[in-house]
Structures are given as structure tokens and as C-alpha cells.
Amino acid sequence: MAVTVWAAILAVAACATPASPPVAPATRPAVLVTAAPVWRPGDRWEYAWRSGAEAATRSIEVLEIKEINGLSYYLLRAGDLEHLWTPELGWAGSVRNQRIEARMTPPTPLFVWPLEPGRRWQHRGTYEDRSGRKPVRDSFLVVGVETVEVPAGRFQAFKVVRETDSRDSDQYWYAPEVGFYVKWAGRRGDVEFEEELRAYHRAPRLIPDSRPEVPSRTP
């Protein structure tokens, strides 16, 4: 993938909108994730996807870490698309066959860190694809920590909800052990979909990532 293609995606990108302070609970929650996971080339997640009567599987894999305009991005492959994510897990753009498919300015912060129940943040940006440009206004909330059972196992996961100024919405569950979401339920217009983790593989680490004190998968 030519660096110039990705540079074109990010030429007008700015830093993500600063997150608003966490909602102050009566007592500090006992569970939180202090920092974004560290992804490595070779990390891979496989999902079962369904929407109505349609069903399929898809795989997301970290290909490499790219330096573009002095900033680092994860390059991920999902089907015939490649995506750029920030180290904080914000989505910046995608390419298909070395052609820009879409981009978000600034990148969408799907998570903020530390991640903890009650945390809220907003994103104001511009989404651009071949059909044109449109403003984006998203609001996020960490609802809490839930036990989620998917084909890959049972996990303690942080449930995040996203609301927009359109009919689009998302609910997704982030599991620290997996380093990504284990379940995603969303709506795009009148179409609803759901993804569940089937399997995952974390590339070997010489120095293990630090882990928050969150119960891991139940056998």
C-alpha cells in the first residue's frame, strides 16, 4: 500500500475531539481499563455476522504499524478493505484496491481511556466517501460492565453505546482480554446487524501487555 494513498486520507485529519471528563459516580468504580491495548501485526479476530436472514463470517487482522505524516497508525485488513486506526483505537479511514474508500476527520474515538462505567464523550467531525461529505455528531457512554457469552467464550466486557443525530446507533462490548470488541449490535438506517466473536489470536509478545484487574474468560 503506497504511503501517499494513506497520506491523502489523513491530509486534513486533526486530533480527535477531546473527551469530556468522566461522569463522577458516588464512589469510584472498582473496574476500569487504564489504557488502550497494544496491537501487534498478526493479531486477529474472527466474527460471526448476521443481519435479518443473512449471515456470514469476517476476519479482522492487524497487518502493520504505519508512520504517516509523523503519526503512527494501525493498518488492519477486513475483507477487501484496509483500515487505519489510531493507537487510541479511533477509526481514521479505509482504502479498497489502493483507492480511498472513506475517511473521518478527526478520527472517530470508539473508546477513551481510562475506560470506566459512566464515562461519556462526544465526537464532532466530517465523514467523506465517494458520495460526498457530511457532518457527524456522535455521543458515547460506557453503560457498565457485563458478562457476555459469545461463540469464543464468556467474557467480562465494557458495554459502550453510541448515539448519532441520524437513525444510526451502536452497542458494543469491549473485553480487555481480547483487546477488541466481543459483540457489536448496530443499526444503519432501517438495517440492523449483529457480530459476535468466534475466535481470536494475539500475536506472541516478548513483554506481556499490562492487564487491568478484570475477570477473564470463564471456561
Side-chain angles (χ1 to χ4, degrees), residues 10 13-17 73 84-86 89-93 104-110 123-124:
L10 300 168
C15 295
T17 303
Y73 295 88
L84 279 179
W85 288 67
T86 69
L89 304 195
W91 182 82
M104 181 68 77
T105 309
T108 302
L110 295 178
H123 174 246
R124 301 292 181 264

Side-chain angles (χ1 to χ4, degrees), residues 113-203:
W113 315 94
L115 194 66
E116 58 186 327
R119 187 85 191 250
R120 295 176 184 267
W121 65 97
Q122 295 184 339
H123 174 246
R124 301 292 181 264
T126 302
Y127 175 80
E128 183 177 359
D129 59 18
R130 296 181 187 179
S131 65
R133 306 174 65 187
K134 64 178 180 180
V136 173
R137 298 173 61 88
D138 295 337
S139 298
F140 298 83
L141 168 66
V142 183
V143 175
V145 178
E146 299 181 356
T147 301
V148 180
E149 189 163 357
V150 294
R154 183 177 297 168
F155 302 89
Q156 286 285 89
F158 290 80
K159 181 180 179 180
V160 181
V161 297
R162 179 184 75 103
E163 293 183 347
T164 72
D165 54 1
S166 66
R167 297 194 61 189
D168 295 353
S169 63
D170 294 288
Q171 302 177 70
Y172 46 98
W173 288 257
Y174 171 83
E177 178 186 358
V178 171
F180 211 8
Y181 65 94
V182 294
K183 183 177 179 180
W184 192 306
R187 171 190 290 273
R188 299 294 180 267
D190 295 326
V191 179
E192 296 183 351
F193 67 90
E194 184 174 281
E195 290 186 0
E196 292 185 338
L197 186 70
R198 298 178 60 216
Y200 68 98
H201 169 76
R202 303 301 300 276

Side-chain angles (χ1 to χ4, degrees), residues 30 152 211:
R211 298 294 183 188

Side-chain angles (χ1 to χ4, degrees), residues 67-86:
E67 294 288 333
I68 302 174
N69 296 336
L71 300 175
S72 294
Y73 295 88
Y74 294 115
L75 179 62
L76 277 62
R77 176 189 292 129
D80 60 350
L81 280 175
E82 293 181 347
H83 298 266
L84 279 179
W85 288 67
T86 69

